Amino acid sequence: MSTNEPDTVTESWRWPESEWRRHVEAVRAGRRLLPERWPDGARVAVALSFDPDHETIPLRDALTSPGLLAQGEYGARVGAPRVLELLARFGAPATFFMPAVSALLHPDEARAYTRDGHELAVHGWIHERNMLLGAEDEKELVGRALDTLTDLTGQRPTGIRTPSWDFSDSTLQTILDLGFSYDSSLMADDEPYEIVAAGRPTGLVEIPVDWIRDDAPYFTMDRYGAARPHSRPRDVLEIWTDEFDAAYRAGGVFQLTLHPHVIGHRSRLVVLRELLDHIAGHPGVWFATHAELAQAVRTATPPHEIPEHTS
């Protein structure tokens, strides 16, 4: 059994203080990284992201039913082109976190992202469950994914989002060893922060996510499981609009995670268009890729306060 798997036998209430502190402090949020002003004097940074998982979700679990694979194919065939068209209409760059297997299945799509001025970033090999992997297997798959996206586009990704936003005991070290400049998988803040490992600043920028700002929890459907779409798209629009408005008032970051096979359906894409209309109607909005955002907060932070990470 992998050491990354939780020990369900252990009675954690028996742990000494040193044990629960060790787990809590392994990966922690350090200082918040916010510049006094965003580039060009903008009031708020908007970081849109899309995870083109496509067929990799069922493939990860060795589920090969044409029906399941077709749901993912919709994201590549219909959802992604619609998303690219909408982003072009607003002149909004975005970050696409793409599993390598998805990119190999749809190489023209992967190249279209970088061709159109968007960022392509790592999202695992086959959307694997890294919590079930040993350290060497996890590192091998992330490294293979990094090389695959580089070979397909000619651009080496600088950011990573772990599949399912999971962090194993070895994930952080893998990210540092492979030289990524930022991660976007954790949820300790609304704003970017520096990741601290066992009390040591790592220099790695975290652009936090949250299930509130993700389309999948609201719209996921599992024919044989308990997951059912439980939200009206316009109810979700209200949540995301409130999230943006609060970020705008605070002068912070509005980050959003979407999936072409989820948000790309007609009634949901209407909601995304209305959200972008609302955002674009505000003065001082900086649309940025996650890499641009990470660079902005790093540049605005004195070097002695956020050391470069070492691989």
Side-chain angles (χ1 to χ4, degrees), residues 135-153:
E136 290 305 313
D137 286 336
E138 181 178 15
K139 186 173 182 179
E140 194 275 329
L141 287 178
V142 175
R144 194 196 307 173
L146 179 60
D147 291 342
T148 298
L149 297 187
T150 302
D151 291 343
L152 281 173
T153 67

Side-chain angles (χ1 to χ4, degrees), residues 32-39 41-46 189-192 242-255 282-286 293 296-297 300:
R32 181 178 286 182
L33 303 176
L34 272 182
E36 291 185 6
R37 205 69 174 170
W38 295 109
R43 172 70 179 271
V44 67
V46 174
D189 205 317
D190 297 308
E191 315 295 1
D242 288 346
E243 285 282 324
F244 166 76
D245 289 347
Y248 189 83
R249 289 192 297 271
V253 175
F254 173 69
Q255 188 278 342
H282 288 67
V285 173
W286 178 48
L293 178 59
V297 300

Side-chain angles (χ1 to χ4, degrees), residues 81-187:
R82 285 177 175 169
V83 165
L84 284 173
E85 181 182 359
L86 185 62
L87 293 173
R89 185 185 310 172
F90 285 90
T95 299
F96 291 82
F97 294 92
M98 194 170 197
V101 167
S102 184
L104 289 169
L105 286 168
H106 309 284
D108 290 341
E109 177 187 335
R111 297 186 188 105
Y113 294 143
T114 56
R115 180 199 65 209
D116 291 355
H118 303 293
E119 176 192 4
L120 187 65
V122 172
H123 194 40
W125 172 253
I126 196 168
H127 212 283
E128 60 274 6
R129 299 187 189 276
N130 58 346
M131 295 295 290
L132 304 180
L133 298 174
E136 290 305 313
D137 286 336
E138 181 178 15
K139 186 173 182 179
E140 194 275 329
L141 287 178
V142 175
R144 194 196 307 173
L146 179 60
D147 291 342
T148 298
L149 297 187
T150 302
D151 291 343
L152 281 173
T153 67
Q155 298 182 23
R156 188 173 180 83
T158 62
I160 183 170
R161 170 170 294 158
T162 62
S164 303
W165 298 346
D166 275 335
F167 253 56
S168 73
D169 293 342
S170 53
T171 298
L172 178 57
Q173 193 58 54
T174 291
I175 291 173
L176 294 174
D177 288 346
L178 292 175
F180 290 99
S181 67
Y182 77 86
D183 172 72
S184 184
S185 315
L186 302 176
M187 311 184 194

